[in-house]
Amino acid sequence: SNSNSVSAQATQPLGSYVDAHTEEVTRVRFQRFNNDNHETSSLLVSASEDGLACIHDTSQPSEEMALKSVLNVQSPLRDVGFFGPSYEGLYCLTGSETMSVWHHDSAQRICDFGDVRNHLGSVASMPIHYLVGCMWDGSELNLLAGNSEGDSALFKIDAGNISAKRILTGGHKGCIRSFVPSSMNNSIITGGEDSRMCEWNLGNSQVPVQPPADGRNEVRATGSAKKGKSNYSTKLPQSGGGVIRRPKKKKGRTPY
């Protein structure tokens, strides 16, 4: 019947890419069409412990035809994702806490920031122990980084610089492991090893934190494939609004 035919088609795999990686795959993401909805294109990126990020077009009938580009990050990858006005960029985060950004279609590296934890800590005036992840908000690429105390900072990634935007404290008591945009405007939700999920309002204006002693409030990339002058933010990072606290319907005992 027609219903059985549709069901059979829906369960067929989009593709099989057995030659893409030699070690464990750590992340797969589809490219989105725009930031207003969750529709995706046929482009799929896969990241692996072998240090490669592979772009496949799942609309193609064979693995050989589907392979569009291979990015050699040269370090085991933990996370990758598309960004940019047309989602033409690709950010790469590694297990050694390094970051780089690429143009995925040409497989050209735009910036290699390396291990930026010390620089981020200097900019945000707080210890930074790890990179949580990145998020494209429709106009900016944002990086969230944190420490073992549960504090974190949100940074803006430019063509060659990283500048601090917000300091997020008072929500978590342990390492933050992920974050996603909230359904509320200008908010994010973070999840941590303390079993907490915190929703943060990034729109509330707070007193800026003190700048580093040397006056620097930006971090420059250690290397870039493109040279040129760019306009970068000179605003100091702000304390970001705090956790959005929802009223509880019932009072109960909590471990916190």
Side-chain angles (χ1 to χ4, degrees):
S1 65
N2 290 335
S3 60
N4 290 336
S5 176
V6 172
S7 177
Q9 292 177 2
T11 57
Q12 292 299 314
L14 293 175
S16 178
Y17 311 118
V18 297
D19 296 325
H21 298 286
T22 58
E23 296 185 39
E24 291 183 3
V25 174
T26 55
R27 179 73 69 181
V28 291
R29 291 188 191 274
F30 276 98
Q31 181 192 50
R32 294 175 64 177
F33 279 124
N34 56 63
N35 206 56
D36 297 328
N37 56 52
H38 297 288
E39 295 183 7
T40 60
S41 75
S42 59
L43 289 185
L44 175 72
V45 60
S46 58
S48 170
E49 291 281 347
D50 61 11
L52 301 180
C54 298
I55 314 294
H56 288 90
D57 184 351
T58 59
S59 67
Q60 297 300 314
S62 66
E63 180 173 3
E64 183 178 358
M65 296 177 65
L67 183 62
K68 305 295 292 184
S69 56
V70 178
L71 286 55
N72 187 2
V73 183
Q74 298 180 333
S75 184
L77 282 162
R78 177 167 54 84
D79 194 15
V80 294
F82 294 98
F83 74 94
S86 301
Y87 290 90
E88 69 281 2
L90 192 77
Y91 65 81
C92 297
L93 304 181
T94 72
S96 54
E97 310 301 335
T98 65
M99 177 180 181
S100 58
V101 293
W102 301 67
H103 182 263
H104 68 78
D105 192 41
S106 63
Q108 293 295 310
R109 186 173 61 194
I110 300 171
C111 292
D112 182 5
F113 293 99
D115 186 345
V116 293
R117 288 175 292 178
N118 289 336
H119 296 294
L120 297 181
S122 176
V123 170
S125 298
M126 58 180 284
I128 296 293
H129 300 151
Y130 54 86
L131 310 181
V132 180
C134 290
M135 175 186 69
W136 173 253
D137 65 6
S139 60
E140 296 177 355
L141 179 62
N142 296 285
L143 166 69
L144 186 69
N147 59 39
S148 59
E149 302 300 319
D151 300 327
S152 62
L154 194 66
F155 301 87
K156 174 185 175 182
I157 310 298
D158 278 318
N161 287 353
I162 301 178
S163 54
K165 294 175 61 175
R166 297 281 177 176
I167 306 300
L168 307 176
T169 61
H172 290 282
K173 296 181 179 293
C175 292
I176 299 170
R177 289 309 180 195
S178 64
F179 81 113
V180 295
S182 170
S183 58
M184 294 181 60
N185 291 333
N186 208 19
S187 301
I188 62 172
I189 298 174
T190 56
E193 292 183 354
D194 56 2
S195 302
R196 288 185 173 187
M197 294 180 63
C198 298
E199 187 172 17
W200 304 85
N201 181 1
L202 304 179
N204 290 354
S205 179
Q206 301 290 328
V207 178
V209 301
Q210 293 299 316
D214 58 4
R216 294 175 57 195
N217 67 332
E218 292 182 349
V219 178
R220 294 192 176 275
T222 56
S224 174
K226 295 183 179 180
K227 296 181 179 180
K229 186 176 180 180
S230 300
N231 294 323
Y232 302 115
S233 172
T234 58
K235 294 181 180 179
L236 299 177
Q238 294 180 324
S239 178
V243 182
I244 299 175
R245 304 194 182 279
R246 308 288 190 187
K248 295 182 179 180
K249 294 182 179 180
K250 295 182 179 180
K251 293 184 178 180
R253 302 178 70 178
T254 172
Y256 304 111

